[in-house]
Amino acid sequence: MDTLPLAASGDAAAPLSPGQLRELYSLMVAVRHLDISAIAWQRQGIIPGYAPELGQEAAQVGSGYAVDTTRDFVFPTYREMGVARTMGVDMVAYMSTHKATWHGGLYDPMESRLAPIQAVVAGSVPHAVGWAHGQTLDKKDGGPLGVAMTYFGDGASSQGDVHEAMNFAAVMKAPVVFFVQNNGWAISVPTKRQVAGGSVAARAAGYGIPALQIDGDDVEAVVEATRRAFAHARSGNGPVLIEAMTYRRGPHSTSDDPGRYRSLNEERDGAGADPLERFRKRLLADGIADEAFFAEALAAAKAEEEQIRTGIQALGPRPGTEMFDLVFQETTPALQAQAANWREESEHV
């Protein structure tokens, strides 16, 4: 499915260079290794919970690679570690949320251009549209717009927030890219049982929004589609929806047991080719990379993971009194007394 009328132009049309292709592979390896390690950290008690993304590396790295961090803004869910890593976010600061030491992450959203991690299903979608609409209100010279990209899954696409956001974005021609990672499952419910018609991209037509349904396991296709969508939105043509068809190869979260709703054989049959191995074979076949490069990429990923794990373990607990400083704009006398008592007790611990 491709209903995007604007032909790719400029950077959107430029083919990826061999160096960029190797960079994409290195990013995918780093994300894959960190993702698998994060599950182990949860089992070891280093972090209390994590939402794996095994099998979605191409969708996340490819889309994140298209972001211009000098002017665009990304609004993630709780499963966009690969996007954060691709955008250059400090991963210790990012993983602090999974460590449960800070709400939304210790990184600076304004500097990184990545909004705080959103745990509410589809909660980041209206935020992205609001930011994008602000770009059209602020732009006075007719130049290119900053673009918002918001992530959500096939399950979240059934939330009312998504439909309201898409309608508003279409009416206001907000420069926003709705990036749907259709990984086949809304926790334990398959897509076919909760998305009427079976396609999220098809819904975009109801709002007059052009849509792209792409192979989300092909990192090059993801980069190309996301660049096209950004070019369309940046030129003032309004929103675009991308549905990246991929597969969640593991549990919804580290507290989920996928064996309760699908068998290992069903998982293997549904997952298809591993996006990382698929890309590796393509680079080898085209002479873009060799075994020495792949070994170097894996070694770098392992070293990075060790550094991140050490940094996460070094994170201390946050003082509980911060809720009184940051949650309430104006505190009541009762809250002020509670805060004073808490601080006094903390000093004697």
Side-chain angles (χ1 to χ4, degrees):
M1 177 183 295
D2 184 342
T3 62
L4 186 59
L6 182 67
S9 59
D11 291 340
L16 292 165
S17 69
Q20 289 176 314
L21 293 172
R22 287 190 292 269
E23 183 183 14
L24 285 168
Y25 181 85
S26 295
L27 285 166
M28 289 175 68
V29 171
V31 170
R32 168 68 64 86
H33 195 69
L34 182 55
D35 183 63
I36 293 173
S37 298
I39 297 173
W41 298 343
Q42 191 275 333
R43 303 301 191 234
Q44 297 163 8
I46 296 174
I47 57 177
Y50 179 70
E53 59 187 63
L54 183 65
Q56 297 179 225
E57 296 88 358
Q60 297 209 359
V61 170
S63 57
Y65 198 76
V67 176
D68 182 346
T69 55
T70 67
R71 54 184 172 179
D72 302 327
F73 220 103
V74 172
F75 294 79
T77 71
Y78 44 77
R79 202 188 300 275
E80 268 69 66
M81 182 272 287
V83 178
R85 173 63 182 83
T86 303
M87 291 175 61
V89 177
D90 178 87
M91 296 314 294
V92 173
Y94 175 87
M95 293 295 293
S96 65
T97 296
H98 300 288
K99 172 78 171 176
T101 55
W102 189 247
H103 179 71
L106 286 168
Y107 59 89
D108 182 347
M110 294 302 296
E111 180 181 354
S112 67
R113 311 303 285 179
L114 182 75
I117 296 169
Q118 175 62 266
V120 176
V121 176
S124 62
V125 183
H127 298 170
V129 173
W131 184 90
H133 182 52
Q135 297 302 293
T136 61
L137 296 177
D138 290 342
K139 190 57 89 174
K140 297 182 175 57
D141 59 6
L145 297 161
V147 177
M149 179 157 61
T150 179
Y151 289 85
F152 54 100
D154 47 301
S157 72
S158 297
Q159 293 285 340
D161 282 355
V162 171
H163 299 281
E164 293 174 14
M166 289 173 65
N167 184 66
F168 185 92
V171 170
M172 298 298 180
K173 287 196 170 183
V176 57
V177 175
F178 299 100
F179 196 94
V180 183
Q181 292 175 90
N182 187 338
N183 64 20
W185 293 89
I187 306 183
S188 60
V189 180
T191 303
K192 62 184 179 182
R193 285 182 51 196
Q194 67 88 32
V195 174
S199 169
V200 181
R203 292 176 172 175
Y207 302 101
I209 297 176
L212 299 167
Q213 187 182 76
I214 61 172
D215 181 351
D217 291 338
D218 181 344
V219 68
E220 293 178 81
V222 176
V223 173
E224 192 271 339
T226 312
R227 283 178 169 178
R228 287 182 64 197
F230 268 73
H232 180 89
R234 201 181 305 286
S235 299
N237 297 299
V240 177
L241 186 144
I242 297 175
E243 184 178 20
M245 307 303 291
T246 181
Y247 195 87
R248 195 190 77 218
R249 294 169 176 262
H252 172 75
S253 70
T254 47
S255 62
D256 175 40
D257 176 12
R260 298 182 64 183
Y261 50 85
R262 71 184 183 203
S263 68
L264 286 175
N265 285 335
E266 288 173 330
E267 184 174 314
R268 293 189 191 100
D269 293 342
D274 179 355
L276 193 59
E277 182 61 23
R278 175 177 166 180
F279 192 38
R280 180 181 181 277
K281 289 179 178 179
R282 186 263 202 244
L283 296 182
L284 270 175
D286 292 351
I288 294 172
D290 55 20
E291 293 296 345
F293 165 78
F294 298 130
E296 182 180 346
L298 180 59
K302 290 180 177 180
E304 180 180 298
E305 179 271 330
E306 176 68 20
Q307 183 181 27
I308 295 170
R309 181 181 61 80
T310 301
I312 291 171
Q313 289 181 301
L315 289 174
R318 306 296 298 183
T321 53
E322 285 184 335
M323 66 175 291
F324 297 103
D325 300 325
L326 303 176
V327 174
F328 304 99
Q329 182 175 0
E330 297 180 4
T331 56
T332 64
L335 285 172
Q336 291 171 4
Q338 186 178 354
N341 291 336
W342 197 334
R343 291 190 175 93
E344 184 179 351
E345 292 176 0
S346 299
E347 292 174 357
H348 292 89
V349 173

